[in-house]
Amino acid sequence: MESMNNPESLSLVIAAEQTVIRMYHALDRSDYSCASRCFTPDGIWERGGNALHGQQQILASLSQRSSTLFTRHYVTNFLVLEHSGSVAKAEFCLTVYRSDKGAPPTLPVDRAVAAMLADVECELAFSDRGDWLIRRLDPRITFAA
């Protein structure tokens, strides 16, 4: 395990965190194709009690979401625990706000309350294209509304 105090390690932390944030940003904007491409081709997402395997299964699951669902995912306390070559392990906290009133939301959404808080374990892999992708995403719900 390398020290997190050198510039290369700092770049790794930033790049890994940006991959995770990019995935949730795409998810919140219903860009499910982009969200699924943040995973390795064989990536695993533990989602709603089911293990989704690979980009195609992830995309198929996301495409079944309600068209009027409005969400915002907030990643905090992102920490790379270890990295070795082309693999990194990270943990972070995830707060999710959601609203689905059966119609497209009007902003601001009334009475926003966090729907879920989770501690998330995440494994990332450095791809042949030169970017970090999620190899495994495993949220552990700590609070649910």
Side-chain angles (χ1 to χ4, degrees):
M1 181 169 108
E2 293 182 33
S3 165
M4 292 291 143
N5 295 326
N6 68 51
E8 286 182 13
S9 294
L10 181 58
S11 293
L12 167 119
V13 171
I14 292 168
E17 185 177 27
Q18 284 296 297
T19 297
V20 169
I21 290 171
R22 184 178 309 109
M23 192 279 292
Y24 286 116
H25 183 269
L27 181 60
D28 287 341
R29 280 139 187 91
S30 302
D31 186 349
Y32 304 139
S33 178
C34 179
S36 68
R37 287 192 313 270
C38 290
F39 288 82
T40 61
D42 61 346
I44 299 170
W45 186 359
E46 298 289 339
R47 186 168 182 270
N50 297 311
L52 303 175
H53 296 269
Q55 293 175 345
Q56 293 303 317
Q57 201 173 67
I58 291 168
L59 179 59
S61 176
L62 294 177
S63 296
Q64 294 176 11
R65 291 176 63 167
S66 166
S67 63
T68 58
L69 178 63
F70 183 78
T71 61
R72 285 297 179 262
H73 293 75
Y74 293 94
V75 174
T76 57
N77 300 349
F78 190 92
L79 178 65
V80 172
L81 300 173
E82 60 183 80
H83 69 96
S84 171
S86 62
V87 176
K89 291 184 180 180
E91 288 184 357
F92 57 91
C93 296
L94 180 67
T95 305
V96 181
Y97 290 85
R98 43 183 303 137
S99 173
D100 193 349
K101 297 179 181 174
T106 56
L107 299 179
V109 175
D110 290 339
R111 297 182 195 95
V113 176
M116 180 191 78
L117 298 172
D119 294 327
V120 183
E121 293 178 359
C122 183
E123 228 175 82
L124 298 110
F126 198 68
S127 76
D128 294 339
R129 297 185 325 227
D131 53 359
W132 288 94
L133 297 173
I134 301 166
R135 184 161 74 182
R136 187 179 64 82
L137 190 64
D138 189 5
R140 307 285 175 161
I141 297 173
T142 55
F143 297 97

